[in-house]
């Protein structure tokens, strides 16, 4: 007899007769919901009884309600502590993924180049007898200027006029900045030519030089460069074609001597010197520490030729020490060299390298640039100083429509005249103020220069000692007194020796603090410590919620059929 879709339910009345009551069979949907609920309960109890996660086994047992509440509170507190620590670990990994530590091995000084030396005399013009001072020239020139046009007067030649305007770009201009508010109707001034005409001869500054114990002509070692303070001289700098891009007017940045060697560049900051390079390298390097293995130069100055109204009462030289691929700013970080001094400058290199695993992070996260991360417009090599100098140039051009004669520029960028001196000075100050405000606001959106350090950087710290240099008695001892003062009447001299202090130095290394492996290990340690959770515990949860549940449901359906 076939099974009916209805079930019979027998009832017995008072007379003992039996009546068959027909009851409706549950629908398939209700049966599935009951079966799913039952299976979920079984899976839950089975998971709580067998899981390795601490505290969950009490939820699968028939325990008093107070114990269940107790364990719920314990697990919530433990979970809160666990999540808090994990969040702190993640934030530390996200914000500071790297750490700077000392290298395990020391680095010999011959693995790095000798520092680039930029020597700037404070004398900007050779003041001859009966010459007017800089202040007198500017005041006289101002008295000849009409509000609408410039007029030349017989006692103020065109050459004097152009030389005076040139000096305004390198001398003190605070009290004269408002004298010239309109551009003059004349041909552009060749500031570099005028600076060279005003400057005393090279031999009057630099008497003799020594490199690695050998006396050499200073003209062979030094290169004329144009800076914010006028003409300076660089030793061991990269050549213009290795430092500046092709579109930059390189001849306006420096004057390369035709006698300079054509050696190919055998060094880079990130890779160091080529393996097959010898001692005679470009840029040059020292083989050991000590004054005999360094650079020595005799510097001269002449008080009777000094125009104190141009740069003030302090006279002598400024010397800047930088990496050969850096273009320094003269107003920052220099060694002051007064006259009649014997100055010893001991150099201690400070170098930071970066491991390869840090390169995988974005520059904003590792807070430094590799060479391929940031391409500059004017410079071939990225350094923080080069970036800052380029940023000042771009900002000045944007604000003033021109740049100072010493800034890197292309052929279509005009040079600022005397009426723009205050403009480019204010542009520099405005840029510094903007960067200061952005630094205080801690804004993640970078609108300024964003000149982060290079991931590999090289600096030179100095220790300076000095004594008196008695020129007259020294010359008498060598019987050269009369001959020297016949050639250089009124001359004063200082001796500067620059050398590495030690044969080796300790470099710093920027390496990964928290990689993905360390991050996972920290997460796993915290979860295991507080809750006994491991990777297999996660797999176990996924197994009970998917495969185990599906198997139980299938088994129930087979039994129902």
């Amino acid at each position: 007899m076939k099974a009916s879709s209805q079930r019979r339910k027998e009832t017995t009345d008072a007379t003992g007769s039996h009546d068959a009551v027909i009851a409706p069979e549950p629908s398939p949907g209700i049966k599935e919901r009951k079966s799913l609920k039952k299976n979920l309960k079984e899976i839950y109890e089975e998971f709580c009884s067998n899981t390795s996660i601490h505290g969950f086994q009490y939820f699968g047992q028939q325990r008093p309600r107070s114990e269940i509440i107790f364990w719920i509170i314990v697990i919530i507190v433990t979970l809160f502590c666990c999540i808090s620590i994990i969040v702190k670990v993640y934030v530390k990994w996200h914000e500071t993924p790297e750490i700077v530590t000392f290298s395990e091995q020391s680095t010999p000084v011959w693995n790095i180049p000798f520092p680039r030396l930029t020597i700037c005399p404070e004398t900007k013009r050779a003041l001859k007898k009966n010459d007017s001072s800089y202040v007198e020239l500017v005041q006289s020139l101002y008295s000849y200027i009409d509000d609408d046009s410039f007029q030349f007067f017989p006692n103020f030649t065109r050459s004097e006029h152009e030389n005076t305007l040139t000096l305004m770009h390198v001398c003190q201009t605070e009290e004269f900045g408002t004298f010239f508010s309109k551009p003059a109707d004349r041909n552009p001034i060749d500031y570099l030519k005028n600076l060279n005409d005003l400057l005393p001869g090279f031999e009057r500054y630099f008497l003799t030089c020594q490199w690695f114990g050998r006396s050499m002509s200073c003209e062979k070692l030094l290169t004329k460069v144009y800076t914010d303070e006028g003409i300076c001289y660089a030793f061991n700098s990269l050549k213009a074609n290795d430092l500046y891009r092709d579109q930059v007017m390189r001849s306006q940045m420096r004057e390369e001597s035709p006698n300079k060697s054509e050696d190919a560049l055998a060094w880079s900051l990130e890779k160091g010197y080529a393996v097959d390079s010898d001692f005679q390298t470009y840029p040059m390097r020292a083989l050991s520490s000590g004054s005999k293995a360094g650079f020595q130069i005799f510097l001269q100055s002449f008080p009777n030729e000094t125009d104190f109204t141009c740069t003030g009462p302090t006279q002598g030289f400024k010397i800047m020490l930088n990496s050969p691929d850096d273009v320094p700013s003269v107003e920052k970080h220099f060694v002051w060299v007064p006259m009649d001094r014997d100055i010893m400058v001991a150099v201690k290199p400070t170098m930071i390298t970066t491991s390869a695993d840090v390169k995988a992070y974005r520059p904003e996260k590792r807070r430094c640039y590799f060479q391929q991360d940031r391409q500059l417009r004017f410079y071939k090599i990225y350094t923080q100083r080069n970036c800052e100098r380029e940023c000042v140039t771009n900002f000045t051009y944007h604000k003033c429509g021109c740049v100072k004669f010493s800034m890197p520029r292309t052929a279509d960028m005009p040079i600022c005249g005397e009426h723009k001196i205050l403009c480019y000075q204010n542009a520099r100050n405005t840029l510094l103020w903007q960067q200061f405000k952005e630094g205080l606001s801690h804004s993640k959106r970078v609108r300024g220069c964003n000149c982060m350090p290079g991931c590999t950087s090289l600096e030179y710290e100095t220790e300076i000692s000095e004594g008196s240099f008695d020129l007259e008695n020294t010359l008498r001892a060598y019987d050269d007194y009369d001959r020297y003062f016949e050639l250089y009447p009124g001359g004063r001299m200082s001796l500067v020796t620059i050398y590495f202090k030690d044969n080796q130095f300790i470099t710093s290394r920027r390496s990964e603090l928290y990689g993905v492996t360390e991050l996972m290990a920290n997460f796993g340690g915290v979860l295991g410590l507080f809750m006994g959770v491991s990777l297999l515990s996660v797999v176990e949860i996924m197994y009970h919620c998917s495969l185990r549940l599906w198997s139980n449901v299938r088994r129930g359906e087979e039994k129902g059929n």
Side-chain angles (χ1 to χ4, degrees), residues 107-124:
T107 302
V109 293
W110 55 82
N111 275 1
I112 62 172
F114 196 79
R116 163 185 168 151
L117 308 178
T118 306
I119 306 172
C120 298
E122 285 294 276
T123 301
K124 309 304 179 186

Side-chain angles (χ1 to χ4, degrees), residues 378-397:
F378 301 121
Y379 299 96
K380 290 183 177 180
I381 302 173
Y382 179 87
T383 66
Q384 190 173 25
R385 286 192 181 91
N386 292 350
C387 177
E388 290 172 349
R389 187 163 181 80
E390 179 170 300
C391 183
V392 172
T393 301
N394 292 332
F395 191 81
T396 302
Y397 184 67

Side-chain angles (χ1 to χ4, degrees), residues 55-75:
F56 272 76
Q57 63 268 26
Y58 299 104
F59 298 142
Q61 302 173 4
Q62 298 296 326
R63 309 297 299 176
R65 180 172 296 180
S66 58
E67 291 187 16
I68 299 298
I69 294 175
F70 170 76
W71 280 109
I72 289 175
I73 295 174
V74 169
I75 289 178

Side-chain angles (χ1 to χ4, degrees), residues 362-424:
R362 292 179 293 104
E364 293 77 15
K365 193 171 183 179
R366 58 174 131 92
R367 301 175 191 173
C368 66
Y369 285 124
F370 286 97
Q371 288 297 326
Q372 66 271 18
D373 294 331
R374 183 81 182 269
Q375 299 296 317
L376 299 178
R377 177 185 178 188
F378 301 121
Y379 299 96
K380 290 183 177 180
I381 302 173
Y382 179 87
T383 66
Q384 190 173 25
R385 286 192 181 91
N386 292 350
C387 177
E388 290 172 349
R389 187 163 181 80
E390 179 170 300
C391 183
V392 172
T393 301
N394 292 332
F395 191 81
T396 302
Y397 184 67
H398 174 73
K399 290 290 185 181
C400 305
C402 58
V403 296
K404 190 174 181 180
F405 71 89
S406 57
M407 294 179 177
R409 64 188 183 278
T410 57
D412 59 341
M413 300 171 68
I415 298 177
C416 293
E418 65 280 356
H419 64 290
K420 291 287 187 177
I421 291 178
L422 277 182
C423 182
Y424 67 64

Side-chain angles (χ1 to χ4, degrees), residues 269-306:
L269 192 56
E270 293 184 355
K271 297 180 181 179
Y273 281 100
V275 178
D276 57 348
S277 59
D278 56 11
F279 169 64
Q280 299 294 338
T281 57
Y282 161 64
M284 292 182 285
R285 55 180 169 178
L287 294 184
S288 66
S289 60
S291 59
K292 298 298 182 181
F295 176 78
Q296 189 178 80
I297 186 169
F298 288 85
L299 301 174
Q300 295 186 131
S301 180
F302 302 88
N304 57 335
E305 295 181 359
T306 302

Side-chain angles (χ1 to χ4, degrees), residues 36-325:
L36 181 60
K37 184 177 180 181
K38 180 181 179 182
N39 282 307
L40 286 174
K41 184 177 181 182
E42 290 177 359
I43 292 296
Y44 171 73
E45 291 176 352
E46 183 180 352
F47 172 77
C48 290
S49 300
N50 300 318
T51 184
S52 61
I53 302 178
H54 302 326
F56 272 76
Q57 63 268 26
Y58 299 104
F59 298 142
Q61 302 173 4
Q62 298 296 326
R63 309 297 299 176
R65 180 172 296 180
S66 58
E67 291 187 16
I68 299 298
I69 294 175
F70 170 76
W71 280 109
I72 289 175
I73 295 174
V74 169
I75 289 178
I76 290 175
V77 172
T78 305
L79 189 63
F80 173 78
C81 296
C82 185
I83 293 175
S84 299
I85 295 177
I86 287 176
V87 169
K88 290 180 180 179
V89 171
Y90 176 79
V91 169
K92 188 174 183 180
W93 170 78
H94 185 267
E95 294 184 352
T96 56
E98 62 184 32
I99 185 173
V100 179
T101 58
F102 289 113
S103 178
E104 296 84 1
Q105 296 180 345
S106 57
T107 302
V109 293
W110 55 82
N111 275 1
I112 62 172
F114 196 79
R116 163 185 168 151
L117 308 178
T118 306
I119 306 172
C120 298
E122 285 294 276
T123 301
K124 309 304 179 186
R125 63 186 286 238
L127 191 65
K128 300 176 183 178
K129 189 176 182 181
N130 299 325
D131 279 353
S132 300
S133 68
Y134 161 69
V135 171
E136 292 171 340
L137 287 173
V138 175
Q139 291 174 342
S140 299
L141 180 63
Y142 177 66
S143 66
Y144 294 153
I145 296 179
D146 186 76
D147 290 339
D148 298 322
S149 63
F150 179 82
Q151 300 175 356
F152 288 102
F153 286 78
N155 56 346
F156 208 94
T157 66
R158 178 179 294 274
S159 175
E160 290 176 330
H161 162 242
E162 292 188 352
N163 289 342
T164 304
L165 296 181
T166 300
L167 286 173
M168 291 187 65
H169 289 273
V170 296
C171 295
Q172 298 174 355
T173 57
E174 289 80 2
E175 58 182 308
F176 308 123
T178 57
F179 280 12
F180 307 92
S181 57
K182 297 180 181 180
D185 186 15
R186 52 169 167 71
N187 295 327
I189 295 177
D190 189 345
Y191 294 105
L192 303 186
K193 177 182 179 301
N194 293 337
L195 285 173
N196 281 282
D197 292 343
L198 289 168
L199 200 67
F202 181 87
E203 70 283 352
R204 296 184 67 79
Y205 281 147
F206 310 105
L207 184 63
T208 183
C209 296
Q210 282 189 4
W211 167 242
F212 208 71
R214 294 172 52 195
S215 295
M216 303 178 68
S217 170
C218 293
E219 287 184 309
K220 292 183 178 180
L221 295 176
L222 302 180
T223 300
K224 184 184 295 184
V225 295
Y226 299 106
T227 69
D228 294 339
E229 294 191 5
I231 295 177
C232 299
Y233 298 88
F235 167 75
N236 203 34
S237 171
L238 296 189
K239 289 180 281 192
N241 58 343
D242 293 323
L243 191 58
Y244 297 99
R245 297 200 177 274
D246 295 337
Q247 66 270 23
V248 176
M249 301 180 68
R250 296 169 178 168
S251 62
Q252 303 292 302
M253 299 293 101
R254 61 178 60 205
E255 290 185 9
E256 300 283 1
S257 172
N259 298 325
K260 290 282 184 181
S261 63
E262 298 296 329
D263 295 336
L265 183 62
W267 169 84
S268 68
L269 192 56
E270 293 184 355
K271 297 180 181 179
Y273 281 100
V275 178
D276 57 348
S277 59
D278 56 11
F279 169 64
Q280 299 294 338
T281 57
Y282 161 64
M284 292 182 285
R285 55 180 169 178
L287 294 184
S288 66
S289 60
S291 59
K292 298 298 182 181
F295 176 78
Q296 189 178 80
I297 186 169
F298 288 85
L299 301 174
Q300 295 186 131
S301 180
F302 302 88
N304 57 335
E305 295 181 359
T306 302
D307 187 351
F308 291 95
T309 64
C310 177
T311 56
T314 56
Q315 295 296 315
F317 295 81
K318 293 178 181 178
I319 300 180
M320 285 135 286
L321 287 78
N322 304 96
S323 176
D325 55 3

Side-chain angles (χ1 to χ4, degrees), residues 32 35 39 550-561:
E32 289 178 4
S35 175
N39 282 307
W550 180 78
S551 298
N552 287 359
V553 171
R554 291 283 297 173
R555 193 182 305 115
E557 290 178 353
E558 290 174 358
K559 287 181 179 180
N561 295 332

